[in-house]
Amino acid sequence: MKTRQRQHEPVIGLEVHVELNTESKMFCSNSTQYFGQTPNIHTCPVCLGFPGALPYTNKKAIEYCIKIGLALGCEIAEETVFERKNYFYSDLPKGYQISQYRWPLCRGGRMVVKNKVGEEREIRVNRVHMEEDTAKLVHQFGISNSKGATLIDFNRSGVPLVEIVTEPDFRDLAEIRDYAKKLQQVMRYLGVSNADMEKGDMRLEANVSVRQVQSSKFKVQNELPKYRIELKNINSFRFMVAAVQYEIERQIEALEKGEKLVQETRGWDENNRRTYVQRVKEEATDYRYFPEPDIPPIEIDKDIETELRRQMPELPWEKTERLIQEYSLSSSQARVLSETQEFADYFEEAVKVVNSLSLSLSLSLSPVRIANVLINKKFDREQVLPARFVEMIREEEDRPGVSSEELEGAVHSVIAENTKAVADYRKGKEASLQFLLGQVMAKTRGQSNPVAIREALLRNLR
Ligand code: ADP
Ligand code: MG
């Protein structure tokens, strides 16, 4: 296994689709809400693909797409063109999808990710383009005849969709996880998508191949394998990671046996935990792309780009870096706090509250300390304002406490009354200590200091 991995390395590129949370669809004014809705209520001749219906573009969606491109460091096109991607499938009433091909909105970005040994690597983003979602197919069994039937819900047809395509730069699963997570964060920071993978707001497709690790004696460095396996229609992130991992192993094994791998599309079979062939590509699908005649090319004014740049929020990785610099937080604390803007804001607000109080307090309640309590204490931040949170930390420290005899007595009776928890703790169950601590706290009417209780408990349990 070890030597195998040294001889072969995976080459992986990701295509991610993100559904935008605009109010209306990409080329008509219907609502984009389809989740949990009655099927086929948000439709019109445009998104039902009636002949002669004329599309008109959603400006907000274009702006959102540009913002995503800016966040990923892309170059924004001065002129962008929609094209028809022609293929026949029942989720596509027009017989083509309005997408972008030769003139995408954004090109050439990057994202820094961490690999499995914690090193930072740059993944190149090839393009970020705008398109429309297809209708949703619902496969039903046992209706109409024993074979079942497929129902079509056009509520999703025409919902704005952004596709983000990377170069084949991923080399391990940690990089893929980090990329997907950061992309999801970016969408939420920008407020352009909920990026909920379970709901299908964000969908991943992976292209996987493996090659011999190239040494300097090879003439062509980093040559791409001639084949690639497309992993498609896998609707959970966990399954996608499992499928990529399986593919890497399968392909290395095949190559070692001297087999030749061919281009194909595979899906994930969760029951047998393996990928299976869905489609073998004899040659590249020809979508016969051509410019959409009903939508004129769109010019992106430099002023618009400048304005959108101005509207950009601090991005997740920028926030992480600033929290480290400004508050001397550890990088893991900073990363946890910048998981959402709301969490980081809460932290910064709490620090402000402390700083506005007396100097002696701000000395004892350092930002690192606040970050620690905030990360470890589980409470509903929506119910507790930062100022109240700071007050709570202070109260905990200033508890009047109870006499050592009273505390000792409470500890003895809690140990006597909770033989099971005591036994569990002695068997190594740390959570039981927490439980006992809570019991002592209750017995002393919440007046004891948690540190003192812990000390007394541990002493008596020994
Ligand atoms: P298509 O239009 O058929 O999807 P693209 O050239 O746009 O083809 O590539 C799609 C994805 O496949 C990209 O993310 C790209 O990085 C990735 N890719 C291309 N070649 C390889 C390869 N040999 N191994 C793995 N991924 C690849
Ligand atoms: Mg593709």
Side-chain angles (χ1 to χ4, degrees), residues 262-316:
V262 292
Q263 190 119 333
E264 50 191 25
T265 303
R266 288 180 160 249
W268 177 245
D269 172 359
E270 171 60 13
N271 288 331
N272 296 304
R273 300 202 54 82
R274 61 173 183 229
T275 62
Y276 64 95
V277 183
Q278 286 182 323
R279 191 153 50 99
V280 181
K281 257 189 200 171
E282 261 87 53
E283 55 208 75
T285 324
D286 184 2
Y287 293 117
R288 298 189 299 115
Y289 281 99
F290 64 87
E292 165 62 64
D294 292 335
I295 304 173
I298 298 169
E299 275 177 43
I300 313 290
D301 217 87
K302 271 287 158 210
D303 292 350
I304 292 179
E305 189 187 322
T306 310
E307 171 55 21
L308 292 173
R309 245 180 231 288
R310 199 189 58 75
Q311 290 175 15
M312 291 293 281
E314 180 178 37
L315 295 168

Side-chain angles (χ1 to χ4, degrees), residues 113-147:
V113 296
K114 278 220 164 81
N115 69 7
K116 64 180 174 202
V117 294
E119 294 163 347
E120 294 199 321
R121 283 192 62 243
E122 188 175 287
I123 303 297
R124 290 167 301 158
V125 172
N126 172 289
R127 58 199 272 129
V128 176
H129 76 235
M130 190 76 247
E131 57 187 38
E132 57 176 339
D133 209 345
T134 59
K136 197 179 167 80
L137 298 183
V138 185
H139 305 287
Q140 300 253 333
F141 297 97
I143 55 166
S144 107
N145 60 41
S146 60
K147 288 198 195 105

